[in-house]
Amino acid sequence: MRLGIIGLPNSGKTTLFNALTGGDYETSAVSSGQFHVNTAVVNVPDERLDVLEDMYDAKKKVYATITYTDIGGLDKGIGEGGMAGPLRNELSQVDGFVHVIRAFESPTVPHPYQTVDPQRDLETLDSELLLLDLVAVENRLEKIESELKLKGKRADQNLMDEKPLMETFKAHLDQGHPLRDLEITDKQRKMIGGFGFMTLKPVLIVLNLGDERKPGDDQVSYDYKRANHIALQAALEADLAQLDAEDAEMFMEEYGITELSASRVVKLSYELVSIHSFLTAGEKEVRAWTIPVGATAFEAAGAIHGDIQKGFIRAEVTPYTDLVTLGSEAAVKSAGKMRLESKEYVVQDGDVMVFRHSG
Ligand SMILES: Nc1nc2c(ncn2[C@@H]2O[C@H](COP(=O)(O)OP(=O)(O)OP(=O)(O)O)[C@@H](O)[C@H]2O)c(=O)[nH]1
Ligand SMILES: [Mg+2]
């Protein structure tokens, strides 16, 4: 899964990217406004793996990962003026957005619209994305109409099936609502899979607060489905990401911070795109594996290896909490808490799994 970090110029996208990835990419007070991307893979923090590592005395610990791409170059007017191909490509290919909104004041960092106004900025970029979708939908409808005119009853059935959906989309966008707010069936989702509609993607809004947090400055209203928000200090988080683990721990202790906001963002990103983890544990390694929410044991087996899936017999399943409460696999077995599940079992977050398979 890959999330695109977007936002107006100088909102702190690259700063947040550094905070999330521990990277050291250059940030600057003068935005180039140019299209550019930075990409990095990030471990999804998972305290459960640390516990399992100790329990199994494991040699290796493998986290689930998520990829972030810092996408520079968005600004007011892109929806109307069209957008360069590479930027559009990048935006349409990500699975979701992290939308950075500037809430920090700084005399040295010019704001593209002079004043700091998070709600305005959120709506500004959001309406640009909406406009892009509207143009795409209108173009599609035009194509459908002309096909219908040209071929009448012999028109391509798939295209005809798409028509009512595109009309619904258009009406919805015309009212200023993002597409993610609509209920869309799996079949419809497949139909429009190739379009990469911007407002269909889930979004995590990150308010980039200044050094001094004032009550209320972490508020924006954005009442749509598949959207979430968090407020943090990107510059501070980026500095902390540069410290080694020990120094970071000391700092957090001193200031009474239990969890870095950057690590919250990674966890929220994971939830945002509807994925979760099952775990495997042994002496060789403890590991978190990513699967879509709702995936079955059979699909989970496939996430590990095609052969395990092909030879699937049963899955041994122990919820992580049972394993930790009882203290060992043996204790779980004798307490009768280990379940044997078939292919159709819907895997839950934190299931510790062993796959019995042939071959
Ligand atoms: N005071 C303060 N400055 C910040 C904060 N976050 C970012 N900055 C500064 O704001 C400037 C822009 O930050 P970037 O991370 O480069 O912003 P960006 O969104 O990537 O900008 P472009 O890629 O040019 O669109 C830099 O000088 C940062 O150091 C913050 O929380 N507080
Ligand atoms: Mg940048």
Side-chain angles (χ1 to χ4, degrees):
M1 284 287 175
R2 190 158 69 94
L3 294 185
I5 302 177
I6 58 169
L8 291 174
N10 271 353
S11 50
K13 299 178 292 295
T14 305
T15 308
L16 178 70
F17 177 80
N18 284 340
L20 297 177
T21 63
D24 196 10
Y25 287 87
E26 201 178 329
T27 61
S28 90
V30 183
S31 175
S32 71
Q34 296 296 309
F35 169 66
H36 64 273
V37 293
N38 304 311
T39 294
V41 179
V42 173
N43 282 338
V44 179
D46 193 335
E47 294 77 13
R48 298 172 301 192
L49 285 186
D50 306 327
V51 175
L52 291 179
E53 182 186 28
D54 283 345
M55 188 186 286
Y56 285 82
D57 200 13
K59 290 194 185 67
K60 213 169 121 194
K61 183 165 57 172
V62 185
Y63 291 94
T65 60
I66 196 155
T67 305
Y68 288 99
T69 301
D70 165 24
I71 307 173
L74 278 176
D75 202 350
K76 203 151 70 173
I78 46 143
E80 227 159 60
M83 189 167 38
L87 177 55
R88 177 189 289 274
N89 255 346
E90 208 57 49
L91 292 172
S92 64
Q93 280 170 16
V94 295
D95 300 295
F97 291 125
V98 174
H99 185 165
V100 184
I101 312 277
R102 173 165 174 177
F104 68 87
E105 300 274 357
S106 167
T108 53
V109 182
H111 189 294
Y113 317 128
Q114 283 72 47
T115 51
V116 173
D117 183 343
Q119 188 69 35
R120 174 203 62 200
D121 289 358
L122 168 59
E123 286 167 15
T124 299
L125 194 53
D126 212 51
S127 40
E128 293 297 336
L129 297 175
L130 214 120
L131 196 56
L132 283 171
D133 281 357
L134 189 59
V135 170
V137 165
E138 281 172 349
N139 286 342
R140 194 66 191 164
L141 274 170
E142 244 171 59
K143 189 175 164 150
I144 295 172
E145 300 287 352
S146 70
E147 165 96 359
L148 198 63
K149 230 185 238 155
L150 202 70
K151 299 196 181 151
K153 281 196 176 121
R154 289 177 299 110
D156 178 356
Q157 191 53 44
N158 289 336
L159 223 50
M160 294 306 110
D161 289 346
E162 226 178 80
K163 192 170 181 240
L165 185 63
M166 289 298 151
E167 282 163 349
T168 311
F169 279 12
K170 180 167 158 43
H172 189 76
L173 291 164
D174 273 336
Q175 286 174 9
H177 303 312
L179 295 176
R180 76 176 74 85
D181 218 31
L182 285 170
E183 294 292 345
I184 293 170
T185 64
D186 285 348
K187 193 177 155 215
Q188 289 170 331
R189 205 169 278 278
K190 231 175 238 161
M191 213 186 276
I192 55 169
F195 291 123
F197 287 121
M198 307 295 172
T199 67
L200 199 56
K201 298 176 196 294
V203 61
L204 176 66
I205 294 163
V206 175
L207 269 160
N208 187 11
L209 303 173
D211 307 334
E212 314 222 344
R213 297 183 70 147
K214 294 186 291 308
D217 65 0
D218 53 357
Q219 297 302 315
V220 282
S221 79
Y222 195 72
D223 201 11
Y224 296 112
K225 289 189 194 112
R226 298 172 71 220
N228 203 345
H229 77 274
I230 181 172
L232 51 75
Q233 291 161 281
L236 172 70
E237 296 277 332
D239 287 345
L240 291 179
Q242 289 299 315
L243 299 178
D244 58 42
E246 224 168 272
D247 288 347
E249 215 164 280
M250 253 169 53
F251 176 90
M252 285 167 68
E253 235 164 67
E254 198 175 321
Y255 288 88
I257 305 168
T258 47
E259 187 181 31
L260 290 179
S261 298
S263 110
R264 272 303 290 151
V265 168
V266 179
K267 287 184 191 167
L268 289 175
S269 309
Y270 210 61
E271 278 172 33
L272 185 75
V273 290
S274 302
I275 49 179
H276 61 183
S277 307
F278 71 92
L279 312 169
T280 54
E283 258 172 45
K284 216 176 91 201
E285 68 171 28
V286 291
R287 183 163 183 160
W289 303 83
T290 301
I291 45 168
V293 172
T296 60
F298 186 68
E299 289 164 310
I304 299 181
H305 200 282
D307 290 344
I308 299 181
Q309 186 177 50
K310 224 169 29 196
F312 187 103
I313 299 170
R314 283 273 186 278
E316 298 177 8
V317 180
T318 311
Y320 167 79
T321 40
D322 288 345
L323 183 57
V324 170
T325 316
L326 294 165
S328 74
E329 236 176 76
V332 165
K333 276 190 185 160
S334 60
K337 293 273 187 188
M338 195 208 79
R339 306 190 312 263
L340 273 184
E341 299 283 4
S342 61
K343 281 182 185 173
E344 294 76 28
Y345 168 70
V346 176
V347 177
Q348 304 297 304
D349 186 53
D351 277 349
V352 182
M353 309 195 59
V354 176
F355 293 96
R356 294 185 184 171
H357 61 100
S358 57

